Amino acid sequence: MTGYSRSLIGLATALAGLAGYVDALGFITLGGPFVSFMSGNMTQASVAFADGVWSTARVAGGIIVLFLLGIALGTVVTHFTERYSVRTRKVTVLAVVAGLLAIGSVMSSLDVTPGAISAMALAMGAVNSVFQRDGEVTIGVTYMTGALVKMGQRLTGAFLGGPKWAWLQHFGMCAGLIAGAVIGALVHRWIGLHALWPASAFTVVLIAVAWRVSPPAPAQAQA
């Protein structure tokens, strides 16, 4: 998170909340596999393969492939918008994510659950392209293991004489994902997979936020 303003870190935290929300919907719907936490899917697919539970292995493996396709989509978008401002790049990626979640929402309304899950996995792959620097993802918004490790390191460093509050940024990311997952589970209990509609609407709000807080400088100069 080094080099990012507080407003951009706030945007990243909100996106972590979105990821937690969508992941909770996918987890409940699928009964185990995730749509954004690929380490968990890799473990599930591996164990299922070893146990001969082919249905679980196929579902988890299929979501991993869709997530990779989402990453590819986000990378293509950033490639073709990198000549423009950082603001344009972030907003364009988020527009793609919002579109995918809207497609998933329509699929859920039509009771086409596989289509909804596919759109969710694609969106969760693409959203990781929002924060990039020199072609590399600098803030992963759908996976928190790295943030948790850094939080532990910064917290320990604070006791050893380092910056006292550097760990708070990483704690915020983890808390954002947890809060999003709790809200997602509660909303799913109320309206089922139709809970994707609020996620789609929230992403549209985040597009406006990203436009407001992102620097208008060329992408090569800022990230």
Side-chain angles (χ1 to χ4, degrees):
M1 294 184 180
T2 303
Y4 287 105
S5 66
R6 289 184 179 179
S7 56
L8 284 174
I9 293 174
L11 174 62
T13 302
L15 287 171
L18 174 68
Y21 181 99
V22 173
D23 208 24
L25 300 184
F27 178 82
I28 295 170
T29 301
L30 294 171
F34 305 89
V35 294
S36 75
F37 178 49
M38 293 303 110
S39 296
N41 283 344
M42 290 178 187
T43 300
Q44 287 198 37
S46 300
V47 172
F49 179 81
D51 291 342
V53 185
W54 308 117
S55 58
T56 300
R58 282 195 301 269
V59 171
I63 293 175
I64 292 171
V65 172
L66 288 166
F67 187 86
L68 285 171
L69 290 174
I71 292 172
L73 177 59
T75 302
V76 168
V77 170
T78 57
H79 173 76
F80 285 105
T81 57
E82 64 183 358
R83 71 185 70 179
Y84 306 109
S85 67
V86 178
R87 175 183 290 168
T88 299
R89 188 186 69 200
K90 285 178 166 49
V91 165
T92 304
V93 172
L94 283 173
V96 170
V97 173
L100 288 168
L101 290 177
I103 291 171
S105 300
V106 172
M107 292 291 183
S108 69
S109 296
L110 296 174
D111 291 326
V112 185
T113 301
I117 293 295
S118 297
M120 292 160 67
L122 287 167
M124 291 299 96
V127 76
N128 285 290
S129 294
V130 172
F131 289 93
Q132 288 195 15
R133 185 178 291 138
D134 298 325
E136 297 292 331
V137 173
T138 50
I139 303 179
V141 297
T142 65
Y143 46 92
M144 290 301 119
T145 302
L148 195 63
V149 170
K150 290 178 181 178
M151 184 182 77
Q153 291 174 331
R154 302 292 185 271
L155 192 58
T156 304
F159 283 102
L160 296 176
K164 290 185 177 181
W165 306 110
W167 59 274
L168 278 176
Q169 294 179 348
H170 307 291
F171 171 80
M173 292 289 291
C174 295
L177 185 137
I178 292 170
V182 170
I183 295 171
L186 292 174
V187 177
H188 184 277
R189 183 182 300 175
W190 177 33
I191 56 176
L193 197 53
H194 298 303
L196 263 182
W197 284 109
S200 180
F202 183 61
T203 309
V204 174
V205 173
L206 292 182
I207 291 174
V209 173
W211 179 264
R212 186 175 182 85
V213 305
S214 299
Q220 291 85 351
Q222 297 263 6

